[in-house]
Amino acid sequence: MAYPGYGQQFSGYGAPGGAPGQYPGGFPGGFPQQDPLFGYFSAVAGQDGQIDAEELQRCLTQSGISGTYQPFSFETCKIMISMLDRDMSGKMGFNEFKELWTALNGWKQNFMAFDRDMSGTVDPGELSQALASMGYRLSPQAINNIVKRFSRDCKIFFDDYVACCVKLRALTDAFRRRDTAQQGYVNFAYDDFIQCTMSI
């Protein structure tokens, strides 16, 4: 079936890459020094070679990935880490950071394509089109709930757009893992449902 959120390939929405905490050449002596992203990462990573939400916020601000848009909020950085935090450490290793960087670049290109007036925001209709272009097939009611949650004065800013994309990806991944028959339906135990939704 064309799984929600997986209907089309989209740069930045690909399958998870690399196992968490795996570094070429081992840690700590074998970091890929030639990788340009490593400079941003290592500038804020602690001795454990991981970054938390506060460090991620600093790292992304210093990298300039948000461009002319407002820097990412602490809350958005927390949910970005939770999206890729497979070992539930509350932190992100370099491979996870690279995966996030790819996703962020894809989401930014997608946002810019629909922010045609370069206002730094998209309206609810443009948000719906942007999500559809990533393969999400959502009902008008679901879109309406997303708009209520992520808009300010009926406008969605880039930071909130990224938070929306992170939550959609993480929740879709969690749902998909449980939908082994790929029917679009799953049975959740209450505690499992709470863990899935509250961890993002």
Side-chain angles (χ1 to χ4, degrees):
M1 78 178 270
Y3 211 88
Y6 290 80
Q8 295 179 351
Q9 289 302 315
F10 171 65
S11 60
Y13 191 78
Q22 297 289 315
Y23 300 93
F27 176 77
F31 277 115
Q33 302 288 347
Q34 71 281 8
D35 192 318
L37 291 180
F38 182 72
Y40 296 125
F41 181 85
S42 62
V44 297
Q47 295 239 341
D48 61 354
Q50 305 267 315
I51 56 176
D52 60 21
E54 189 176 335
E55 292 165 334
L56 177 62
Q57 184 183 39
R58 196 162 63 246
C59 178
L60 294 176
T61 300
Q62 290 170 1
S63 75
I65 192 171
S66 58
T68 58
Y69 302 125
Q70 290 292 315
F72 296 109
S73 69
F74 180 69
E75 182 61 27
T76 298
C77 290
K78 280 173 62 177
I79 66 168
M80 282 193 259
I81 284 185
S82 71
M83 174 181 75
L84 297 170
D85 186 15
R86 297 177 188 104
D87 62 0
M88 307 300 281
S89 67
K91 295 185 176 184
M92 177 180 287
F94 183 57
N95 281 351
E96 294 161 326
F97 176 72
K98 285 178 69 173
E99 184 179 341
L100 174 64
W101 186 271
T102 301
L104 281 175
N105 274 304
W107 290 328
K108 183 178 179 182
Q109 293 304 313
N110 189 257
F111 184 88
M112 291 169 64
F114 290 94
D115 179 20
R116 295 180 184 95
D117 61 358
M118 300 176 70
S119 65
T121 64
V122 292
D123 64 31
E126 292 167 333
L127 175 66
S128 180
Q129 293 171 29
L131 296 177
S133 76
M134 287 187 273
Y136 290 103
R137 303 293 176 252
L138 302 170
S139 69
Q141 294 85 354
I143 293 290
N144 189 44
N145 285 334
I146 290 170
V147 168
K148 283 180 186 175
R149 169 64 180 85
F150 292 100
S151 67
R152 291 178 254 171
D153 296 322
C154 228
K155 295 286 184 187
I156 298 95
F157 290 79
F158 181 58
D159 177 63
D160 295 315
Y161 176 81
V162 168
C164 171
C165 290
V166 169
K167 285 198 174 192
L168 273 174
R169 173 178 161 163
L171 289 171
T172 300
D173 286 348
F175 189 94
R176 186 184 195 201
R177 282 193 303 273
R178 289 158 178 81
D179 183 15
T180 54
Q182 297 208 350
Q183 297 294 312
Y185 298 94
V186 294
N187 288 320
F188 272 86
Y190 174 70
D191 194 67
D192 189 28
F193 170 76
I194 293 297
Q195 287 182 56
C196 285
T197 55
M198 297 298 282
S199 65
I200 314 276

